[in-house]
Amino acid sequence: MNLASYRKKSPWILHYNAGGCNGCDIEILACLGPKYDIERFGMINTGNPKQSDILLVTGPVTKRSRERLVEIYAQMPEPKVVVSCGACACTGGVFRGMYNCEGGVDQYIPVDVYVCGCGTRPEQIIDGVVQALGILEQKTKAMEVSVRLQKEPLKEEGQINRRNIADQIKPALS
Amino acid sequence: MGRQYEIPIGAQHISLLEPLHFKFTTENEKIVATEANVYYVHRGIEQACCSKFKFRQVSFVVGRVCGLCSISHTTAYSQVAEKLLKIEIPLRAKYLRMLVIELDRIHSHLLCLSHVAENSGFEALFMKTMQYREFSMELLEAVCGNRIQYDFSIVGGVARDLKPQVAQSILERLKKFIPQLDELMDIYKNNWTLSLKNKGAGAITKEDAMRLNVVGPFARAAGLAIDVRNETEDLLPWKEVGFEMITETSGDVYARNMVRLRELYVSIRIIENIINGLPESALITETKAFPDGEATVRLEAPRGELFYYAKGNKTQILERLKIKAPTFSNVAAMAEAFTGNEYGSAPAIIASYDPCLSCTAR
Amino acid sequence: MIVHSAHAFLGIMHFVSLWFALAVLLLGGDLILVIFLHLLSTSLIILAGFSTRSIFSHLGANRTAISILAYEPVLIIIAVSIFMLTGSFDASAAFNWDQPLLYKMPLAFIALLLVLPIKLKKSPFDVAEAHQEVTGGVEIEFSGIFFEAVYTAKWLDYVFCYTLVFLFAGNNILLGIGLMVFTFFYLNALDNSSARVNYKQMLRFSLTVSFSLAFINLLINIFT
């Protein structure tokens, strides 16, 4: 066991409203409240992109807020998962085609989980975030593989040895 | 004079729900100047309402202006469209609209209060208020079918009827809520550390409030008795169902909390009165007319006066729709009331304004 | 993942020096040394906070420095009181003293209870990391494994503070456990029933109430 395997026990959430109607944002707030209590999955709403694992985006990305969205995404450390909450974050929704916004978050940053609904229900948000946990775990493993591919062959006394490297990597991916 | 620091809050910050940007110039953490930048959320809804959507669809689009007071937007638009169509809506629809507006006010005010508590560093009170708020979301779901974005008002009336069992459950839940509200009132009023943080923070005088054109609980906390529910009677009969003006005098964060909490009692009374005397009638007035002429409507949203202007030209598509949201009136006063406060109270002050920027920027 | 190498290094050193402070305390070493090692570790995180360009990091570092001003005098006075009672600055002397220190210095214990929220960053005195104001303060620019070090240092601080509480029980282990349990419930109850005050109010409260309580206790210990 290493520290990375505990990552999915306490994913930290970053929430950004990219120009939505606040509807999904108050549902995210309701998720943090006692009734839906997302903290039982170890999630804390942190305001700091440098320390968070899951980015919750709401709203159709307006032209003003898209710079901030991309900047926040770039500041988050790998591995990171993006969850787009609400119809307008997924596709643009009712705002699609209005002159100041374009359709959805995935035009700017890669989105892993789409949560539909206008407004999104807290149960759906929890479901989406729990799915994001699985993706986070996969991404963590994929990162470990690339690290192993670099490091393992150099272990034996400076000589490059690629014997059985495939066997060692296989369990990490499964 | 100390060294001046510029502290930016936003567009993304833990204490903000939506993208807005404040730049505080501070001296030893005392705020000396504030710049506000609120137009991150501009989407172009007004233009789309006048080009892309037919006038009956617009009531669903303007609901998406703001998720917190969507019923106020849809109702105000429906009223302005009914004025253009020159129709009178059934009596039951009027009362049902008022019912949902007041339920929405309960959830919006409690959300604002919990946000003030969280930004003051009082997480337990945030949790408590959110817990007590859930009942209003459940009731709204029972009445309208959705937790947020109700789409309850449509042009000509309302979309759903209130079932007798739902009406009964509303009365029961409200009865249960009153002791919880008393408990919240006690904490917000008497907690010592919370009053250290809130009393005197973000204060604005009555004269300043008048000069800067402040509306809503922000103005009423400063002693300015502005409430559309007190002024208009033609569209929704507020006084008949027991509206009462609430004002405080000090104009600080504490006074705003008190105004919101006391307004909740008024809202509860209004809802009880509406349910007990709900008249029977049809829900919707059908018409085949097209909007024509110009009309304006004022409505008291949870944050203050909401103003709609519409102009029709006898086609399906409106010629012009103008929305003036309550926060738009408050922005000037919001930037001014920070001066002289500690930076530490700034997040609580922002939350106590209850800013709704998606309303402002549309 | 890191802002610059000095920043990350200072964060790690904060963690390491806190281990040293804790080790000296647990091994019964010099209390003054313990307090100054702890001060050193806090100074390192303050330097880390000032070494970046983020304004929130600067504010957090500034507030951490002010909170040192609030709790450090009380700790030093408590150490001096222990010296007056036991005749030695060693923590082991306090652990081995024949009766619990609590009976001789109850006011100092109350003063310690009043400054612990500052040190552990609990409401109402959590101005140093004030999540809604400065988003974590000094730790805002840390990320990845370096943030892990800074975050673990916070838990080490808990161990450190509860050991200080345990010190008041002397050789009576049951009383010590009782005091720790009491302190745990007290801290959580206080955290959940109060809002955050600003740093000026914190400094005023700490230097008037907590400091004078500890100082009166010191005078009593000297003259009796």
Side-chain angles (χ1 to χ4, degrees), chain A residues 14 17 19 21-23 26-27 32 34-36 45 47 62 64 68 95-96 98-100 118 121, chain B residues 12 14 17-19 37 39-43 52 64 66-67 111 127 130 138 141 146-149 358:
Chain A
L14 178 70
N17 179 342
C21 72
N22 291 348
I26 57 174
E27 293 297 57
L32 294 166
K35 189 181 175 194
Y36 295 97
N45 184 18
T62 61
R64 197 90 187 258
R68 274 77 186 170
F95 306 119
R96 197 184 179 95
M98 288 188 186
Y99 64 83
N100 210 33
C118 180
R121 294 183 62 83
Chain B
Q12 187 273 335
I14 177 100
L17 271 180
E18 20 181 8
N37 186 349
Y39 276 86
Y40 280 94
V41 207
H42 181 63
R43 287 154 293 187
K52 219 174 125 190
R64 269 76 182 170
C66 171
L111 181 85
M127 290 290 178
M130 288 303 278
E138 281 160 20
E141 189 179 3
N146 203 356
R147 283 168 59 92
I148 46 172
Q149 298 298 2
S358 45

Side-chain angles (χ1 to χ4, degrees), chain C residues 81-207:
Chain C
S81 304
I82 292 175
F83 170 72
M84 288 296 162
L85 277 178
T86 63
S88 158
F89 273 116
D90 284 355
S92 57
F95 283 130
N96 297 326
W97 210 45
D98 50 357
Q99 60 168 327
L101 289 172
L102 184 66
Y103 301 158
K104 286 281 178 189
M105 34 199 296
L107 290 179
F109 185 67
I110 294 172
L112 181 69
L113 285 185
L114 290 176
V115 295
L116 277 189
I118 309 177
K119 217 169 165 57
L120 295 176
K121 291 166 181 152
K122 294 266 191 193
S123 288
F125 299 132
D126 55 343
V127 290
E129 71 161 24
H131 219 265
Q132 284 80 20
E133 292 160 24
V134 291
T135 356
V138 282
E139 66 197 41
I140 184 170
E141 294 293 327
F142 285 101
S143 173
I145 192 132
F146 303 103
F147 181 60
E148 266 171 20
V150 175
Y151 200 77
T152 320
K154 272 203 246 175
W155 295 102
L156 276 187
D157 246 348
Y158 276 78
V159 181
F160 182 83
C161 289
Y162 283 109
T163 319
L164 280 185
V165 170
F166 193 81
L167 209 61
F168 277 82
N171 57 0
N172 190 342
I173 291 176
L174 270 181
L175 178 68
I177 291 170
L179 278 183
M180 279 161 76
V181 171
F182 167 74
T183 313
F184 177 78
F185 282 114
Y186 152 78
L187 277 177
N188 281 309
L190 187 68
D191 186 27
N192 283 323
S193 64
S194 56
R196 184 184 303 120
V197 300
N198 68 37
Y199 73 98
K200 287 169 190 159
Q201 287 159 342
M202 175 190 84
L203 199 58
R204 207 176 299 143
F205 180 82
S206 180
L207 288 185

